[in-house]
Each structure stands twice: as structure tokens, then as C-alpha cells.
Amino acid sequence: MTTYSGPARLTLVDGTHVSGMASLSTNQRGGIEGWGGTFRPDQTSDDIRNASDGLYLELPYDQIGAVAVTGVRKLLATQLLVSLAGSGPAPF
């Protein structure tokens, strides 16, 4: 299992960039390879709460991966935790 934890930028369908922190890992279950994790945006908005498919997660050094939102939950009054499922090769 490979992991990444650090700064990231989520690009929404409309091209809006959202900065935050990501915690990602690869998983290999029953011969199925994939990756995913969570993203905590620096600032919350309705765009983040309503995001679903067609998004990209950019890590430092121009590493980019396609992601879909699988869930959004409130951490604190002003923070969200977005669950992501990656597709294609992991960018880390």
C-alpha cells in the first residue's frame, strides 16, 4: 500500500480550484487495484458539498488524478471531509 498525506488542490467540473489537505492510499483487494481517500478543503462552499464526478485532484509537482466524490460529512461547524474514489493510476 502506498500513501500520500499533504497539500492538494481539487478541480471542480466548472474549473474552480479548491485548496486543502488530502490523505490518500492505494488498495489492492482481491486483485482489484484502486486508490482513494479524503480531502479536507481549506474553505467550504456549496460547490464542494454538491460535487460528484468529473473532478481532478492535483498534488505537488503537477501530479494529477481523476476522482469522484463518494461522500461529504461535516467535521466541525466550518469544516468538511470529502471522501474520494480515484480512477486510473494513482498520482502518488
Side-chain angles (χ1 to χ4, degrees):
M1 179 187 316
T2 305
T3 62
Y4 171 81
S5 185
R9 187 168 72 167
L10 188 64
T11 303
L12 304 179
V13 174
D14 66 0
T16 302
H17 297 289
V18 180
S19 295
M21 297 296 285
S23 179
L24 308 169
S25 65
T26 57
N27 53 47
Q28 297 165 342
R29 296 183 193 147
I32 298 173
E33 293 186 22
W35 63 279
T38 58
F39 176 76
R40 193 187 59 198
D42 292 339
Q43 297 180 350
T44 62
S45 70
D46 285 337
D47 291 338
I48 297 274
R49 288 184 187 92
N50 299 323
S52 59
D53 296 338
L55 311 178
Y56 291 92
L57 190 66
E58 183 178 348
L59 305 181
Y61 310 109
D62 297 324
Q63 297 171 303
I64 299 173
V67 294
V69 173
T70 59
V72 177
R73 67 182 173 108
K74 192 181 261 191
L75 284 180
L76 300 170
T78 59
Q79 290 186 344
L80 293 177
L81 188 66
V82 180
S83 297
L84 302 173
S87 62
F92 52 94

